[in-house]
Amino acid sequence: MKNKKITTAAILATSFFLTACGGGGSGGDDSEGGAPPPAGTALNAGAGAPTGAEGSCGATTTGVNWDALMTEICPKLSDYNLFADATDPTTAPARGGVPYDLSTALFSDYTSKYRFIFVPEGKTISYNASEVLEFPVGTVITKTFALPENTAVRDGEELVIETRLLIHRSDGWFALPYYWSSDSDAVLAIAGKRLTDLTTINNQGQQITFDYSVPKAGDCSSCHSIVPNLSGSGDDREQIFLPIGPKARYLNKDYAYADGTVYNQLQFMAEGELLTGLPFDLQTVEKAPVFNDQVPVASLAPSQLDDAARAYLDINCAHCHRADLTLPTDYAGPAGSSGVQLEYNRDYADSPGKFGVCKTPVAGGKDGYPFDVIPGNAAESYLLFRMTTDDNRHKMPELARNTAHLEGTALIRSWIDQLPVASCSPVP
C-alpha cells in the first residue's frame, strides 16, 4: 500500500463515480485527461505497440503493453505500462487512456476511485441506450481504490490500496486484482487480500474502523455475470461477464479534465472518435442523478429523492437484482429469481413488488422484518436492514463492503419512509 497526497485538478462539485469487481463508491476523481479533442482527433490514436519481446510481461514498449494485456497474467501492474508514472495509477495514463467517473455512487467502503478506459488504436466503443457501453476486444478498464483520511476532504491524504483491471480478451472479459504492497508497484493478488483495522472519518465527523477486502480474481464473476432468465436451460444459460458502471446514464455528466476544461464525458468520447452511435441530441440520452456523500438527503424534493434512490439501487444492486427489460436474449442477474429487480429503467408504478414492496423475503429473512420494503416503515424493511448490517448472513451487497454506507442508507431510508403508506398482507 502507498500513502500519498493527491492534488486534484478542478473536480466538479457534482462529480461522483463507478465499476469493476464488485465495487464502486464515493469520492473524487482527479484522473488526467485533455481538453475536448478537435473534430477528427482520435482519443486512442498513437496508443503504442510493443518494441521489446512481444507479449512478455515488462516488455519495453512505446506505450501500453497490449500484447501482455491480451495474453499474459503479469505479476506486477507496471508490466502492462498503463500509466506514465508506474508508481501512480490515479493520474496520467499512458497515451490512449481516457478518464471517467459516474454520477451516482457505487459504494466500496468509502474509497475514492480513479478510473480509465484504454481502447486499442483503430477500435471504438458503441453506444447503448440502457445497458453497459459495448467495448471492443482489446479494451482495458482500470479502477484504483484509495481510502481518504477524511471522506469530506477527497483531495487530501489517502491510502492507495488496489488497482483492478477488466481486460476484454478474444474469449471474453478477464478480471485481475493488483494490491499496492509498496509505493513503487502493485502486485497480483489472485487469492485476494484482507486488510484489518483501516480507519477514515466520514462526512459527519465520525471515525469508522473496518476491515477491507481486495477481492479474489474469481470473486469478480459473482457481480459481473448475467445469465439467461430461469426459462433457459443447458447451453442457453451460459453466463456473460460484463462491466457494471460505464452505462450512458451514469456517464452523461460533465467531467473536469486535467487542464481545467469541463465537458460532457459522452460528448468528449464521441468527438474524439472513441464512441460511436451517440445521439446528436444529448437531451435524448438517459441521465441518472448525481448522488454522493456530499449531497444532503434532506435537500432532495420528493421526485429527486425517488430518482436518486432508484439510481442508487440500480448501480449498487441491480447487477444482481435484475431481469433484463430490453435485450432480446432476456438476461437476468444472479439474484433476479429472488423477485427483487431494481433496474433504473423499471417503472416503479407498474410493479412496486419488483422493488420489494410488500414482498416476503425469499433469501432467509429475519424476525422483525416481514417484508423487503414496507412503505412508510423503513425501520422494519428487510432491504434497509440488509444494507446496514455487517452480518455476513444478511448483508447486501454480499461483497465489496465491510462497513455500511451511512449516506446511502439514509437515502434509501428516506425513500421508503416517503412511499405512499400501504398495508402489507400479514405473513401466513
Side-chain angles (χ1 to χ4, degrees):
M1 291 178 291
K2 55 196 250 179
N3 203 357
K4 58 173 290 184
K5 182 168 183 174
I6 295 173
T7 303
T8 58
I11 303 302
L12 288 177
T14 57
S15 294
F16 215 77
F17 328 105
L18 144 84
T19 170
C21 282
S26 56
D29 193 331
D30 64 348
S31 310
E32 292 288 338
T41 301
L43 288 175
N44 57 358
T51 58
E54 184 173 343
S56 62
C57 296
T60 302
T61 68
T62 58
V64 174
N65 189 350
W66 294 106
D67 287 330
L69 283 163
M70 294 302 109
T71 62
E72 306 287 341
I73 300 177
C74 293
K76 299 179 297 181
L77 181 64
S78 62
D79 289 330
Y80 298 120
N81 202 30
L82 290 162
F83 300 95
D85 179 356
T87 70
D88 185 1
T90 68
T91 188
R95 188 173 180 184
V98 178
Y100 74 98
D101 67 6
L102 305 182
S103 56
T104 301
L106 176 55
F107 179 70
S108 295
D109 290 340
Y110 285 103
T111 52
S112 297
K113 299 183 182 69
Y114 303 92
R115 304 176 175 90
F116 299 91
I117 298 170
F118 299 82
V119 175
E121 184 175 359
K123 294 189 176 184
T124 57
I125 303 166
S126 296
Y127 171 78
N128 189 305
S130 60
E131 293 296 331
V132 69
L133 299 180
E134 297 170 16
F135 296 96
V137 171
T139 297
V140 179
I141 298 174
T142 72
K143 183 167 66 170
T144 295
F145 296 71
L147 182 67
E149 288 187 350
N150 190 322
T151 65
V153 188
R154 292 281 175 174
D155 60 351
E157 293 290 334
E158 59 183 8
L159 185 68
V160 179
I161 300 173
E162 58 167 319
T163 298
R164 303 177 191 174
L165 305 185
L166 282 185
I167 307 170
H168 194 183
R169 293 179 172 175
S170 59
D171 55 350
W173 286 93
F174 192 73
L176 290 175
Y178 286 84
Y179 164 65
W180 283 89
S181 58
S182 71
D183 286 351
S184 59
D185 212 339
V187 296
L188 183 65
I190 288 290
K193 185 79 175 179
R194 189 165 184 86
L195 311 178
T196 59
D197 297 329
L198 297 188
T199 62
T200 188
I201 297 172
N202 67 13
N203 281 16
Q204 291 72 44
Q206 303 166 319
Q207 180 170 295
I208 302 171
T209 301
F210 56 93
D211 295 347
Y212 182 94
S213 299
V214 177
K216 302 175 183 177
D219 287 342
C220 297
S221 62
S222 65
C223 289
H224 283 271
S225 294
I226 57 175
V227 297
N229 273 329
L230 297 181
S231 58
S233 61
D235 293 338
D236 293 335
R237 292 179 54 77
E238 181 181 0
Q239 291 187 350
I240 295 179
F241 188 104
L242 290 174
I244 294 171
K247 297 180 174 72
R249 60 179 168 269
Y250 296 114
L251 297 172
N252 188 11
K253 62 177 291 292
D254 284 347
Y255 182 90
Y257 292 90
D259 65 351
T261 301
V262 177
Y263 215 65
N264 181 278
Q265 294 182 114
L266 294 173
Q267 191 172 357
F268 178 83
M269 290 191 286
E271 292 185 10
E273 298 183 351
L274 182 61
L275 175 65
T276 62
L278 179 69
F280 178 78
D281 184 2
L282 277 178
Q283 296 299 316
T284 66
V285 178
E286 191 173 54
K287 187 173 186 177
V290 170
F291 180 78
N292 56 49
D293 293 350
Q294 285 70 49
V295 175
V297 173
S299 71
L300 300 176
S303 61
Q304 294 174 314
L305 178 65
D306 179 74
D307 198 24
R310 289 191 305 105
Y312 187 89
L313 291 171
D314 176 63
I315 201 165
N316 283 279
C317 311
H319 43 277
C320 287
H321 286 276
R322 59 169 285 172
D324 196 276
L325 301 174
T326 57
L327 294 179
T329 44
D330 199 24
Y331 282 100
S337 60
S338 71
V340 176
Q341 297 162 358
L342 300 169
E343 307 93 330
Y344 183 69
N345 53 341
R346 183 180 293 282
D347 189 335
Y348 173 87
D350 286 347
S351 52
K354 297 295 186 183
F355 291 83
V357 171
C358 296
K359 191 190 79 61
T360 303
V362 298
K366 181 176 174 62
D367 290 344
Y369 302 91
F371 301 100
D372 287 321
V373 171
I374 303 174
N377 186 358
E380 295 182 13
S381 294
Y382 188 49
L383 182 149
L384 182 64
F385 171 75
R386 302 195 80 177
M387 293 176 61
T388 56
T389 185
D390 292 331
D391 183 340
N392 287 330
R393 181 174 178 271
H394 297 284
K395 77 171 183 177
M396 282 288 169
E398 294 174 325
L399 300 175
R401 80 166 181 87
N402 292 285
T403 189
H405 187 197
L406 299 182
E407 295 79 7
T409 55
L411 172 69
I412 302 305
R413 180 180 293 107
S414 295
W415 173 69
I416 295 174
D417 281 341
Q418 64 86 42
L419 290 174
V421 176
S423 177
C424 298
S425 299
V427 178

